Amino acid sequence: MKKTLQIVTSAYRCNSEEQDDPVVWICQAMKGAGADLDMLLEGTAVNYAVKGQDASGLSFGTKAQTQPPRIEEDLKRLSAKGIKVYAIEEDVAARGLERSDLLEEIKGIARAELPKFFAQYHQIWRW
Amino acid sequence: MTLTFVMMEAPFENARTVSVLRLIDAAIRRRHDVTVFAYEGAVAMTFARQAPHANAVHGRTAEEEDHPLPKDWVAGLMTAAQQRGVKLEWINCGLCVDERGVAEAIPGAKRGSPADLWKASEASDNTLVIGTR
């Protein structure tokens, strides 16, 4: 079976409407279908690794959102299923984030390590 | 060779849709079998109710404008694949279709799930994802 690395490069694009991040979601679905994959958060997507985000409370007129996106829970669920979730350290630092701001499940990886890191996977899917 | 393409961009919004169609076209011309998994906005590429229009700015009728609609391009690719004896399988993510209300798709476009994407990828020599921003 192919082992793939799923790279998430943009964040918060349609999370309110989808009540999910579409790439994080499809990775969970593919894992459920038997896929062997890990995830790398790049660029703005490293923000997904930040603890304590709360998107609840959105409403327009009389229509309230009852199931807000809970990306933190999704990433924890991925990790519990054996999917390793990485974040590029330089992208984290560039956003003024500290390691202590991030979920424990997230593993940091430096850009210089990426070539060797990529070589562990049969394919790289960059979303 | 068998290739899988994943596309996310909705039609009419970005040059990415045309870029993906170029790649699919090239793959078919080279007689490769192709599976396309249309995700998110890309499920609208095959929406059967796309309609052409005239162009008053350029003074063209609808017929003269000959507006290329994505659904017609996809249908054209399906025909080209058939003529060359290769496979073009177009799978729209079903949940994405539902939430966008674009269930009326051109003949040949199927409804599927992430499991179908994974199966297609496993059966392919390579997979290319062209995401969106």
Side-chain angles (χ1 to χ4, degrees):
Chain A
M1 183 188 303
K2 297 185 184 106
K3 187 169 177 77
T4 68
L5 179 67
Q6 308 287 335
I7 303 180
V8 187
T9 63
S10 70
Y12 308 109
R13 185 178 51 78
C14 59
N15 294 12
S16 296
E17 289 165 290
E18 291 287 7
Q19 303 190 148
D20 274 296
D21 173 277
V23 181
V24 173
W25 181 86
I26 202 171
C27 287
Q28 293 178 83
M30 288 193 292
K31 178 67 178 175
D36 187 4
L37 55 95
D38 289 331
M39 180 175 288
L40 173 66
L41 303 174
E42 179 191 1
T44 58
V46 300
N47 285 293
Y48 279 160
V50 175
K51 291 184 287 199
Q53 296 180 64
D54 180 5
S56 63
L58 182 66
S59 72
F60 295 111
T62 56
K63 180 64 182 171
Q65 182 168 55
T66 60
Q67 297 289 355
R70 297 181 180 93
I71 308 299
E72 177 171 335
E73 288 178 20
D74 289 328
L75 294 183
K76 286 180 177 174
R77 195 177 304 120
L78 283 175
S79 185
K81 287 182 179 179
I83 296 173
K84 298 191 192 72
V85 183
Y86 298 85
I88 297 183
E89 291 173 350
E90 288 87 342
D91 294 345
V92 170
R95 285 157 181 81
L97 298 169
E98 305 281 350
R99 182 63 189 92
S100 55
D101 294 319
L102 308 184
L103 297 168
E104 284 174 13
E105 290 83 354
I106 305 300
K107 303 171 197 319
I109 184 162
R111 282 199 181 274
E113 299 174 82
L114 289 180
K116 208 170 166 182
F117 176 64
F118 288 162
Q120 296 173 41
Y121 297 92
H122 291 104
Q123 290 180 359
I124 312 288
W125 296 16
R126 189 168 186 270
W127 295 82
Chain B
M1 210 178 228
T2 301
L3 302 171
T4 294
F5 293 91
V6 182
M7 60 186 303
M8 287 177 80
E9 201 74 60
F12 301 109
E13 297 299 331
N14 196 286
R16 281 188 200 93
T17 45
V18 173
S19 294
V20 179
L21 293 180
R22 286 185 200 278
L23 292 169
I24 296 167
D25 183 65
I28 289 169
R29 285 175 193 275
R30 294 182 188 193
R31 300 187 187 278
H32 299 306
D33 291 327
V34 173
T35 298
V36 176
F37 186 81
Y39 190 45
E40 292 285 285
V43 299
M45 291 290 288
T46 55
F47 185 42
R49 291 220 212 156
Q50 294 169 17
H53 56 73
N55 190 329
V57 170
H58 292 274
R60 292 197 284 257
T61 63
E63 290 72 27
E64 288 167 337
E65 181 67 11
D66 194 17
H67 197 300
L69 296 169
K71 70 177 178 76
D72 298 327
W73 277 337
V74 175
L77 288 170
M78 288 175 176
T79 301
Q82 205 171 23
Q83 288 171 347
R84 283 171 172 75
V86 296
K87 181 192 80 170
L88 170 58
E89 189 176 17
W90 191 284
I91 305 172
N92 288 322
C93 170
L95 298 183
C96 305
V97 166
D98 289 344
E99 61 196 8
R100 287 163 181 78
V102 293
E104 288 181 53
I106 59 172
K110 299 178 203 175
R111 183 188 170 100
S113 73
D116 295 304
L117 166 56
W118 189 252
K119 274 185 227 159
S121 167
E122 282 284 281
S124 293
D125 293 283
N126 217 333
T127 299
L128 177 65
V129 173
I130 297 177
T132 187
R133 292 290 174 269

